[in-house]
Amino acid sequence: MSEQLKFIVEQLNKDPFKKNLNLITFDCLEPMQLLQILNDVLAEIDPKQTIDIREELPEQTVKRMSALLGMLKYRPPGHLSDVSTFRQGLVTGSKPVVHPILHWLLQRLPELKKRAYLARFLVKLEVPAEFLQDDVINETYRQYEELVEEFKTCHKECEQLRTSGFSTAEIRKDIGAMEEEKDQLIKRVERLKKRVESVPNHQKMLDLARQLRVENERKESLAHQKQEQRNQLFQAEQRLQRSQQQLKDLQQAAADANPDSLMKRLEEEIKFNSYMVSEKLPKELEGMRRTVQYLQKVASEPAMGQADLQELKDKIREADLQINQLIEKRMMRNDPMDDKLTLYRQQASIIIRRKESKAEELQEAREELATAERELRQRSSQTQSSDGEEVIRGDELKRLVVKLRSKGTMYKKKRQELAELKAEYGVLQRTEEILKQRHETVQQKLQTLEAEKGISGYSDTQEELERVSAIKSELDEKKGRTLDDMSEMVKKLNSMIVEKKSALAPVIKELRSLRQQSQELNQEYEEKKMQFESCAAGLESNRSKLEQDVKALREETAQQENQYHHINSMSKITEVQIQRAADEMKAYVSSDPQERKKTIREVYKKNISEQELLGKRLREKQKMVRESHSTNMEQMKMWRDLEQLMECKRQCFIRAQSQASIGQVIQEGGEDRLVL
């Protein structure tokens, strides 16, 4: 507490307060004086608060200070968290209430000044919804919101300019230097013009110099355009090379691929692109939008202090506690349907995460492939010689020869195998044709027999049923495997649930007893609360009556004090006047001439005689001035004429001097031409 008081006194003794206090005088201040100091500090933050609190009602003072402290986000200490206690302390000027406020305000004075300034423009007016139904009011309110946003942007730009490092003194200094340079250049140009005017054909030379400058500028612009066109040509050649390389790659891919593989590849690309467009990219875009909104919200809010950060940390802690309580309630409920649903949800989330990870891996692989292809094209373009052939070194040539030999032997073996396979393929093709012919004949015979027996289409139906049964058996096998896996997983989960339940059984028993105790305590709390509220209501009514009585007595006391001070001051004035009259009578009646001279009457008589003598002298002086006025005016006119004559002589002398200097310049120019 002593450190707090020391800090408050130190800050109040500095600019702009200059209270000249020490710890003893500050601690001995009256409540009204302490409130006035608090009001002075608030007035330094917000100039609208400049007021003498003796001319304001206590309720209005408390309301005004509370509104400003709320806007500045002041939080009372823990023992003053009750609003009524805090307001009562402000009304009475209590030190435990006022001292923490002063300490908090003086610690953050620049920050609070900025916050109060911004609050004047950023705290929006609350307009009821029913009033906004009117078109005029709605349009006005919309314009008001636009102006608020415009103020935010202007304030941000102003802060950026303040922190950018530019100072007005340096800019003014640069402007002054530039103006001086401009004046010097103007003078130099005038001197050069005077020198050039004496040269013959100077106008023609100036025109030629101007044309030369224009042509030089045109030459520079043409050179710049030429460089730009070269750059564009180089870029176009690079694009042509890339397009040719892509065309070669596509031709090779089309030559090596068949329609089925192309269709499969296209279907895979379509699936991947549709997944990216419909699921992955919208999620990422939505997340980025949320991030941008959060950042804009944070940027639009005023700067946060340590108290604001502590408040946010407390809120986060409370939210974590609520989440833990909800998790405990959910574990105590033990709903089997929820357990099954959580299992399926977990499986679905695992599959979604795997899908997203594979999509990211595929995207990264595509990017790596694109970079590798770019590097390959660059390397191939770099290693090509002027004839378009690749440069092969000695070691590489040896390795290439060895590789070609091994590939030659391999080619011979494969060619022999290919010939054998072609022969076997011809035999098998012929066998297939024979079997197809036999199958067609058998089918025709079978169809005729079915038509004769009246069961046409029986064989086709039988084949279809066999095919469907085979497909069904495969699906049943897959389903059985998946069901077995799911049953094993369910058994494991049930065993884990049983273990968890057995582990939580003693805790649940203890929790039941604690719940019963909690219910009993809640009932007791409700009873005590009702008793407290009834007692508090009675005390509140008594307190309000006492407050009214105290208020009336304070007003009466204030009136009596004012009347007392007025009467006391009037009595003192009367005493002073009586004393002065007694002293005057005593001096006037006294036989001592020195004492009589000290009387007010004698002093006033002396002043009157002095003023009469002064007036007589001034009248005589006025008479002399009137008599000499005409002669003085004539003399002043003569002096003015003399001044005009001297000015005319000075102008004539200056002109003669300038003509002499021009003749000298012309003579110097002629001598220069003679020398040339």
Side-chain angles (χ1 to χ4, degrees), residues 610-651:
E610 289 176 356
Q611 292 297 323
E612 286 177 353
L613 289 173
L614 182 62
K616 187 176 180 181
R617 290 174 187 170
L618 290 172
R619 282 193 294 272
E620 291 175 355
K621 190 175 182 180
Q622 184 181 10
K623 184 178 178 181
M624 292 171 64
V625 168
R626 283 179 181 175
E627 290 174 354
S628 61
H629 176 67
S630 58
T631 56
N632 290 334
M633 290 297 291
E634 290 177 358
Q635 191 174 3
M636 188 171 67
K637 186 178 179 182
M638 291 169 66
W639 278 109
R640 284 180 182 171
D641 295 338
L642 180 61
E643 186 181 0
Q644 290 178 0
L645 181 61
M646 296 301 291
E647 181 66 24
C648 183
K649 286 184 177 182
R650 190 177 69 83
Q651 295 291 335

Side-chain angles (χ1 to χ4, degrees), residues 536-588:
L539 292 173
E540 186 68 23
S541 61
N542 293 331
R543 186 177 66 83
S544 62
K545 290 179 182 178
L546 291 172
E547 284 181 353
Q548 291 177 0
D549 295 339
V550 169
K551 184 179 177 181
L553 291 171
R554 281 183 177 173
E555 291 177 355
E556 186 178 356
T557 304
Q559 292 177 0
Q560 294 294 332
E561 284 180 355
N562 291 332
Q563 189 176 1
Y564 165 74
H565 290 307
H566 179 70
I567 293 169
N568 192 14
S569 60
M570 291 299 292
S571 65
K572 287 182 179 179
I573 292 167
T574 307
E575 288 176 359
V576 171
Q577 290 177 354
I578 291 168
Q579 184 65 32
R580 288 179 66 186
D583 293 339
E584 181 71 18
M585 287 296 295
K586 185 178 179 181
Y588 186 70

Side-chain angles (χ1 to χ4, degrees), residues 586-588 590 592-599:
K586 185 178 179 181
Y588 186 70
S590 176
D592 189 2
Q594 296 295 330
E595 289 291 330
R596 293 184 67 180
K597 286 181 181 180
K598 293 180 181 179
T599 60

Side-chain angles (χ1 to χ4, degrees), residues 25 27 44 54 94 110 130 173 176 197 199 220 231-232 244 255 307 322 331 415 440 483 514 581 594 668 674:
T25 56
D27 194 49
E44 180 63 24
R54 292 177 295 182
S94 176
E130 57 269 15
K173 188 176 179 181
E197 285 175 356
V199 178
E220 290 178 358
N231 294 332
Q232 291 175 1
Q244 289 176 353
Q322 290 178 1
M331 291 176 66
R415 189 173 62 180
E440 288 177 357
L483 289 172
L514 291 173
Q594 296 295 330
E668 288 177 358
L674 289 172

